[in-house]
Amino acid sequence: MLIPQQRWAWVVGDIFSTLNAVLGFTCVLLHKQRLIVFRRVLLLGGIMYGLRAVVLGLTFLPPSFQNRDEICLPQVNRTAMYATEITTRFVTYVVTLGLTSGQDKILCGDLMFSGHTVVLTIMYFTLLQYTPRRLVYLRYIAAPLTYIGIAALVISGGHYTMDVLIAYWLTSHIFYAYHQVFQMPRIERTKAPLSHLWWFWLCYWFESDVPDGALRNEWDWPLPGPICIHHFVERISDKLQ
């Protein structure tokens, strides 16, 4: 390895993933078309994690930690795969959203490809796509969070470089392919080359009520009140256009 394994960097990757997710979902929550944007983020996340599930089922890579016996949970013997153990590990993974830095021992078999990188990348691209044009400072914050977070995953030894590069490559291609095809006029979408992608028709159904073209990035307070905050957010949104 060019850089010795740094266990502390795994915590950094978890923290930066969380911060990026908070920034991304705050942007979604404030967006005037928040339901459409939120649905798109969930769809893209579903596509990526669906692909990840298939790849994980077909690929085995040895844990990338050097001291794997101290960090990783032991493999369950195939002849003794007790339902309670499988359920416990599954529930733990879901509840923690894959953020495992606070656990004594973690699951180490989900390497190809990096779920942390998927989250970091989707949230970063969401900020780029759906923040008002003049809110450039937020993008300057999100970019270092994303790329330092990805680098931390590799430095920590929790992922191979290949894992994060493939995750970034797939996420970026699917994110922008999705937006390219669904910003086209509706009548042209089914004739586009991208309509041959396996996820197209599922997303086409979800996008049936969305107007043609790119969404206008305007902010709006999501709650009924107070009125003063509504007016404040509207003024901020107007200045950022």
Side-chain angles (χ1 to χ4, degrees), residues 12-136:
V12 174
D14 274 357
I15 292 173
F16 280 24
S17 297
T18 304
L19 290 175
N20 237 21
V22 170
L23 284 176
F25 280 115
T26 300
C27 165
V28 173
L29 187 66
L30 290 173
H31 201 283
K32 204 165 191 176
Q33 302 289 341
R34 63 185 64 86
L35 292 180
I36 295 174
V37 179
F38 185 63
R39 185 172 63 196
R40 287 179 173 179
V41 171
L42 290 184
L43 272 172
L44 288 163
I47 290 169
M48 291 306 304
Y49 272 88
L51 280 173
R52 187 170 184 262
V54 172
V55 174
L56 284 175
L58 299 175
T59 308
F60 174 77
L61 294 174
S64 50
F65 290 113
Q66 293 176 354
N67 50 340
R68 62 189 65 169
D69 293 334
E70 300 176 11
I71 297 174
C72 301
L73 287 167
Q75 285 186 305
V76 178
N77 191 321
R78 286 183 177 273
T79 61
M81 294 182 73
Y82 298 108
T84 52
E85 179 65 20
I86 296 173
T87 303
T88 300
R89 294 188 179 192
F90 173 76
V91 171
T92 301
Y93 193 83
V94 171
V95 169
T96 60
L97 299 177
L99 304 176
T100 55
S101 56
Q103 301 176 32
D104 294 331
K105 289 198 172 186
I106 63 175
L107 294 172
C108 297
D110 57 336
L111 292 173
M112 180 59 69
F113 44 87
S114 168
H116 282 74
T117 304
V118 170
V119 172
L120 282 162
T121 309
I122 286 181
M123 290 295 99
Y124 176 53
F125 291 150
T126 298
L127 286 167
L128 293 182
Q129 185 74 22
Y130 294 110
T131 50
R133 182 172 55 87
R134 293 186 180 178
L135 197 63
V136 293

Side-chain angles (χ1 to χ4, degrees), residues 150-212:
I150 291 173
L153 297 175
V154 178
I155 295 172
S156 71
H159 276 287
Y160 297 106
T161 306
M162 173 179 62
D163 305 339
V164 298
L165 289 179
I166 290 176
Y168 182 88
W169 180 80
L170 281 173
T171 307
S172 60
H173 279 63
I174 289 177
F175 186 95
Y176 284 108
Y178 184 104
H179 284 83
Q180 181 179 6
V181 71
F182 289 109
Q183 287 177 4
M184 298 172 63
R186 188 176 290 103
I187 195 172
E188 298 178 9
R189 293 174 185 174
T190 56
K191 302 174 184 177
L194 292 174
S195 66
H196 298 292
L197 294 171
W198 63 269
W199 47 261
F200 172 80
W201 288 105
L202 172 65
C203 300
Y204 182 82
W205 183 79
F206 276 104
E207 292 281 335
S208 60
D209 61 340
V210 179
D212 295 346

Side-chain angles (χ1 to χ4, degrees), residues 134-153:
R134 293 186 180 178
L135 197 63
V136 293
Y137 296 109
L138 184 59
R139 302 176 187 187
Y140 293 154
I141 295 172
L145 284 178
T146 301
Y147 295 113
I148 294 174
I150 291 173
L153 297 175

